[in-house]
């Protein structure tokens, strides 16, 4: 199969099998239907705001549309191989170089009774040469067989002979276009397209003539194989018919849209508006006249008059009751009391409106002609009674406007979505968050639920990450409470902070997508069925979200998710880029896509089931289990090789491979966990009970106080479920798998594909294979240049092997070691490091301690997981650091104070010692002598022998008993000895030198010696 595709891609020109072309057109054509329906509905919704009202299709335009339909149908049927002349090279599978006899011998075997036809006999001598055969493939068998003057040496002779046959279909087409756009058939609605239609018809004819005349008919001379031949004549028949069919269909669409005033509306001229106004007023006047006559009849008849009065009394009572309704009163009070309505201005507008109606033509000139709603109200009043005066009608008009503004005032604002408390929240201030529903399909009550967390800190610029889980139909609350959100559940009642949450430097927006998933809801008969439908609803959601929160509209926007989001994210990104192309002045800055363990390309990923099963040891080669699974895979391949088989997102025959693998490898009531093959689960869940946090998440999100905190609408009647089976069962897209649009997206948006190496259902083997087979940005796979592949670089995170990085041409692939289907559940910090690298959150420019994350030993961009100076974890660490610094400061202060006290004590001690030493120069009362002491008797202080002499009286350094022995003696007369030493004193106590020096200094010296 792959060889055939490769051969077809190398063949020159339009080399597609004739039998496959109509099938492809029939099978691929309906893919555009959902978008057409969505486009039609959007225009219907806007019909009331159009300057010219939408009207039913005029009957005479039906004829023109039927003519175009018949022309388009005949052109389309003409492309079928049944109506094409026989191509003898295709019929006989012959090469251009096949000898003439061999060629016609083969052809004779295909003819009845083995005989060539008359046409074959005419053709045989005319295509004997290579050039003649090239002309045959270029102009067809009729020209080569029947042209009487054509020569191979003059190839243009064949062109001139073929011109009438080339132009004949176009002439018929021009006749059909002229008829369909004529005034006699389609009126002025068709006539406005007449010139454009003729130009298109003539353009198609001239374009085919140019292609035929300017082409190189000898290109086939270089083809060596039958499948390399370019069958120009037969290909041109197909594209001629398709071109005419498409042109007719487009013209029919334009004619229908313009005739019903849905598109291409030409505003009426002043004269036409005047005429319309006069007709309306004349019609109103005629009805007023008729009602006046009827009123006169009623007034003249007593019975009718009583009935009429009873009727109006009842009408007044009903109107009074309506005006007394609480909702009406509150709405009017809210609208009037808030100051948003200027009653004086509204009354002035009502007066001008009334004047405009009275003045008739002047109303048109001044732009005061009533709108559709006012006309309907006026019509209703005129048709029912004459008691409504013009002033009363203006009052009703005023009331309608007040109620409309009250309704607008009741619309939700961002404040209505603010989450001011969250049950079970951890200690500390609540994170800034908003949550609630946004309506996307009012006609089906479709509402998408979102939970938005504002970034805790800002890096170098503002970023927002939109997160989607898979399924289809699985809630993104898995991501909020089990993967990348700021909270995890400690149990079913208490939340704790998650280390490595993605809201550190980016706003994170979780959306339950599509409608009907998780907290989102929709009518049970209106679930999403197509990927394009889902993407359109998400764009609608984002439009309304940015109206509510305009501060985020200019952020760098990233879309991330896992599993079946591998289909959702590319289609949403494609819809956003298409939206940007239409709204040049309101661009969304789509900056990147991240898809984890994504379901992207069924062809490679179905094949990877068995390959991964062998690698993981789930199945053993040569066993009965392996043989049965290989047989099932063969059936899967057969289905995928059927026309359009590879263009399905899901193939039931291939899905059975995984189910059978889990069944055949189970042990008793236990089977492998399809999301993490290192674990097992009960049969038949096989992973549906995983991860373990799910047992707490479900009861938490079903709590009434949680639903109230998250502003869950009362219209959401069912409780929260992780995966909605109804959504999954209804989702059977005809859209092609997202692998078909990835190359185009990679031209504009960078992308990360990451995988946990222990996942089975969307395993890394399939992801690596789809990357290897995909061509984007000028090369295939991770090819950097012919024969050179991008290296697989080792990733070391905080000293441990974390995985591998591989990148080329806007695509990065990351394999996480020892990780499951939900990588952020296993490694939130590593996944945050991946996100920060992808978003270029470089903390080198803003400060902070970088995380130790190395790729091939190189740190690269400095990222921070909880280590940034303004990160949440860093704030907690900073608090501890400050407390430690305070203690350290106190400790150092104590040390300094202690040193100061010691120094002061030493200084004080030294001072006291010095002071005592100085005062030791006199003995005072304790055995020393001084000229300043009063004279005492001979004994002085008695009984002082053996007592120290250096005692301090001020310090009470004496015995109280000594006070009893103290006697004051009378002073002696002058001339007597100055000093008298008591007889109890001995020479031993004083010494010889003391006797000779009887003065104070001598006494001090003796004291110093002692």
């Amino acid at each position: 199969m792959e060889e055939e595709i490769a051969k077809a891609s190398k063949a020159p020109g339009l080399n597609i099998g004739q039998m496959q072309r109509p099938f492809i057109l029939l099978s691929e054509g309906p893919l555009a239907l959902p978008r057409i329906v969505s486009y039609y509905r959007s225009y219907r919704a806007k019909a009331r705001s159009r300057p010219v009202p939408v009207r039913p299709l005029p009957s005479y335009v039906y004829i023109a549309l039927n003519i175009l339909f018949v022309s388009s149908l005949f052109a389309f049927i003409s492309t079928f191989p049944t109506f094409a002349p026989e191509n003898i090279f295709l019929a006989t599978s012959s090469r251009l170089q096949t000898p003439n006899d061999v060629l016609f011998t083969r052809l004779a075997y295909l003819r009845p009774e083995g005989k060539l036809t008359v046409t074959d006999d005419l053709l045989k001598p005319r295509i004997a040469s290579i050039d003649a055969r090239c002309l045959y493939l270029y102009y067809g068998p009729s020209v080569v067989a029947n042209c009487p003057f054509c020569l191979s040496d003059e190839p243009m002779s064949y062109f001139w002979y073929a011109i009438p046959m080339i132009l004949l279909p176009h002439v018929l087409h021009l006749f059909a276009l002229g008829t369909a756009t004529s005034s006699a058939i389609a009126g002025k609605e068709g006539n406005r397209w007449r010139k454009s239609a003729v130009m298109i018809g003539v353009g198609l004819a001239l374009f085919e003539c140019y292609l035929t005349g300017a082409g190189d008919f000898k290109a086939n001379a270089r083809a060596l194989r039958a499948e390399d031949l370019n069958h120009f004549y037969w290909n041109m028949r197909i594209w001629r018919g398709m071109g005419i069919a498409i042109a007719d269909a487009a013209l029919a669409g334009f004619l229908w849209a313009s005739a019903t005033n849905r598109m291409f509306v030409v505003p009426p001229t002043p004269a036409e508006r005047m005429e319309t106004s006069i007709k309306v007023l004349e019609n109103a006047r005629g009805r007023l006249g008729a009602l006046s006559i009827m009123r006169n009849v009623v007034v003249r008849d007593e019975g009718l008059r009583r009935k009429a009065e009873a009727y109006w009394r009842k009408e007044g009572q009903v109107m009074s009751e309506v005006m007394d309704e609480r909702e009406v009163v509150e709405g009017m009070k809210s609208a009037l009391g808030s100051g948003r309505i200027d009653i004086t201005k509204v009354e002035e507008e009502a007066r001008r409106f009334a004047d405009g109606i009275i003045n008739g033509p002047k109303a048109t000139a001044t732009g005061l002609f009533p709108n559709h709603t006012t006309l309907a109200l006026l019509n209703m009043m005129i048709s029912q009674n004459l008691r409504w005066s013009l002033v009363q009608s203006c009052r009703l008009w005023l009331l309608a406007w007040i109620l409309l503004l009250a309704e607008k005032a009741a619309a939700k604002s961002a404040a209505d979505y603010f989450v001011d408390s969250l049950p079970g929240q951890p200690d500390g201030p609540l994170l800034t968050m908003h949550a609630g529903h946004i309506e996307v399909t009012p006609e089906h009550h479709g509402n998408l639920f979102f939970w938005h967390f504002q970034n805790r800190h800002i890096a170098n610029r503002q970023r927002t990450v939109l997160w989607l889980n898979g399924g289809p139909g699985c809630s993104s609350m898995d991501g909020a409470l089990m993967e990348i959100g700021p909270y995890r559940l400690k149990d079913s009642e208490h939340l704790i902070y998650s280390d490595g949450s993605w809201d550190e430097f980016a706003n994170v927006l979780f959306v339950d997508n599509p409608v009907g998933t998780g907290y989102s809801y929709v009518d049970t008969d209106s679930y999403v069925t197509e990927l394009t439908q889902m993407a359109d609803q998400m764009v609608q959601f984002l439009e309304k979200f940015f109206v509510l929160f305009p501060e985020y509209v200019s952020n760098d926007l990233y879309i991330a998710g896992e599993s079946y989001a591998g289909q959702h994210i590319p289609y949403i990104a494609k819809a956003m880029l298409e939206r940007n192309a239409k709204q040049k002045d309101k661009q969304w800055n789509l900056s990147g896509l991240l898809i984890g363990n994504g379901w992207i390309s069924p062809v490679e990923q179905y094949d990877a089931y068995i390959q991964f099963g062998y690698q993981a040891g789930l199945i053993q080669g040569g066993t009965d289990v392996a043989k049965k699974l290989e047989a099932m895979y063969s059936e899967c391949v057969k289905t995928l090789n059927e026309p359009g088989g590879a263009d399905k997102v899901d193939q039931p025959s291939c899905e059975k491979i995984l189910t059978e693998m889990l069944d055949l490898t189970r042990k008793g009531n236990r089977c492998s966990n399809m999301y993490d093959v290192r674990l097992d689960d009960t049969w038949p869940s096989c992973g549906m009970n995983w991860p373990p946090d799910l047992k707490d998440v479900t009861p938490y999100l079903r709590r009434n106080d949680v639903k109230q905190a998250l502003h869950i609408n009362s219209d959401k009647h069912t409780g929260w479920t992780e995966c909605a089976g109804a959504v999954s069962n209804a989702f059977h897209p005809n859209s092609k798998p997202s692998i078909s649009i990835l190359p185009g997206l990679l031209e504009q948006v960078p992308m990360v594909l990451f995988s946990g190496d222990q996942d089975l259902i969307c395993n890394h083997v399939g992801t690596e294979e789809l990357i290897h087979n995909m061509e984007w940005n000028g090369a295939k796979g991770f090819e950097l240049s012919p024969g050179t592949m991008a290296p697989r670089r080792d990733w070391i995170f905080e000293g441990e092997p974390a995985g591998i990085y591989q990148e080329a041409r806007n695509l990065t692939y990351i394999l996480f070691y020892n990780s499951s289907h939900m990588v952020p559940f296993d490694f939130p910090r590593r996944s945050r490091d991946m996100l920060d690298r992808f978003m270029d959150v470089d903390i080198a420019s803003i400060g902070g301690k970088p995380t130790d994350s190395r790729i091939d030993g190189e740190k690269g961009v400095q990222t921070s997981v909880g280590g940034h100076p303004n990160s949440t974890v860093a704030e907690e660490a900073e608090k501890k650091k400050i407390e430690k610094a305070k203690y350290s400061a106190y400790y150092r202060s104590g040390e300094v104070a202690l040193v100061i006290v010691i120094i002061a004590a030493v200084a004080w001690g030294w001072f006291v010692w010095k002071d005592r030493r100085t005062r030791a120069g006199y003995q005072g009362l304790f055995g020393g002598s001084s000229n300043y002491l009063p004279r005492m008797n001979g004994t002085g202080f008695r009984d002082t022998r053996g007592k120290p002499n250096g005692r301090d009286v001020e310090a009470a350094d004496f015995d109280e008993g000594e006070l009893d022995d103290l006697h004051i003696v009378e002073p002696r007369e002058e001339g007597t000895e100055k000093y008298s030493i008591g007889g109890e004193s001995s020479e031993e106590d004083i010494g010889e030198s003391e006797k000779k020096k009887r003065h104070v200094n001598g006494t001090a010296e003796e004291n110093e010696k002692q």
Side-chain angles (χ1 to χ4, degrees), residues 792-834:
R792 293 167 69 93
R793 307 168 67 195
D794 292 327
W795 178 26
I796 305 296
F797 185 83
E798 296 179 341
E800 296 182 0
I804 60 126
Y805 265 74
Q806 193 174 15
E807 51 192 331
R809 308 186 311 282
N810 241 14
L811 176 63
T812 301
Y813 171 66
I814 305 171
L815 178 65
F816 282 79
Y817 292 156
N818 302 314
S819 186
S820 65
H821 184 71
M822 299 168 68
V823 170
F825 173 78
D826 298 315
F827 297 111
R829 291 173 56 80
R830 296 180 186 181
S831 70
R832 240 289 302 286
D833 181 73
M834 170 191 69

Side-chain angles (χ1 to χ4, degrees), residues 928-938 972 976-982 997-1000 1003:
S929 60
S930 175
N931 294 329
Y932 302 100
L933 292 176
R935 290 187 177 91
M936 299 180 182
N937 58 11
R972 293 180 178 273
T976 61
E977 293 181 358
K978 292 182 178 180
Y979 303 102
S980 175
I981 305 303
K997 297 181 178 179
R998 302 286 183 174
H999 53 78
V1000 177
T1003 304

Side-chain angles (χ1 to χ4, degrees), residues 475-508:
S475 172
S476 294
M477 298 307 99
D478 281 3
L481 294 176
M482 293 192 289
E483 297 186 83
I484 69 168
Y487 297 125
R488 294 275 181 102
L489 276 160
K490 181 180 180 182
D491 50 45
S492 61
E493 296 183 354
H494 300 94
L495 297 168
I496 58 175
Y497 288 114
S498 173
D499 183 16
S501 61
W502 287 18
D503 67 323
E504 193 76 55
F505 299 114
N507 308 298
V508 184

Side-chain angles (χ1 to χ4, degrees), residues 301-320:
D301 187 280
E302 184 177 355
L304 293 176
R305 186 170 63 252
R306 284 199 298 269
K307 290 181 179 180
E309 289 173 353
Y311 172 81
W312 288 116
R313 281 195 297 270
K314 181 65 175 176
E315 285 291 317
Q317 181 182 355
V318 171
M319 179 59 71
S320 177

Side-chain angles (χ1 to χ4, degrees), residues 418-425 430-431 433 451 487 495 700 705-706 708-711:
F418 181 73
V419 179
D420 54 7
S421 65
L422 191 62
Q425 68 187 65
L430 187 68
L431 300 176
M433 65 184 84
W451 194 353
Y487 297 125
L495 297 168
Y700 180 80
D705 54 350
V706 173
Q708 184 177 0
L710 298 179
H711 311 300

Side-chain angles (χ1 to χ4, degrees), residues 180-294:
T181 56
S182 65
S183 300
I185 299 295
K188 64 178 183 179
E189 287 81 4
N191 192 55
R192 64 177 293 195
W193 296 102
R194 189 177 186 85
K195 182 177 179 180
S196 300
V198 171
M199 290 179 64
I200 291 173
V202 172
L204 288 175
L206 294 178
F207 184 67
E208 183 176 355
C209 291
Y210 169 78
L211 288 179
T212 305
D216 181 12
F217 74 97
K218 291 186 178 181
N220 279 321
R222 296 186 292 271
L224 301 178
R225 298 179 301 175
E227 55 267 29
D228 293 340
L229 294 175
N230 177 13
H231 306 277
F232 179 87
Y233 172 80
W234 287 267
N235 292 335
M236 186 55 67
R237 281 181 54 87
I238 293 174
W239 294 112
R240 178 199 305 137
M242 291 302 301
I244 292 174
I246 292 172
D248 289 348
L251 178 60
F254 294 154
L255 180 56
W256 171 83
S258 61
T260 56
N261 292 335
R262 285 180 168 83
M263 293 177 65
F264 315 108
V265 177
V266 178
T269 62
E272 292 174 337
R273 295 177 65 187
M274 182 75 69
E275 182 179 0
T276 303
S277 302
I278 292 173
K279 287 182 179 179
V280 171
L281 293 176
E282 287 179 351
N283 184 35
R285 178 184 177 185
R287 299 178 71 178
L288 283 170
L291 290 171
S292 178
I293 295 172
M294 184 181 68

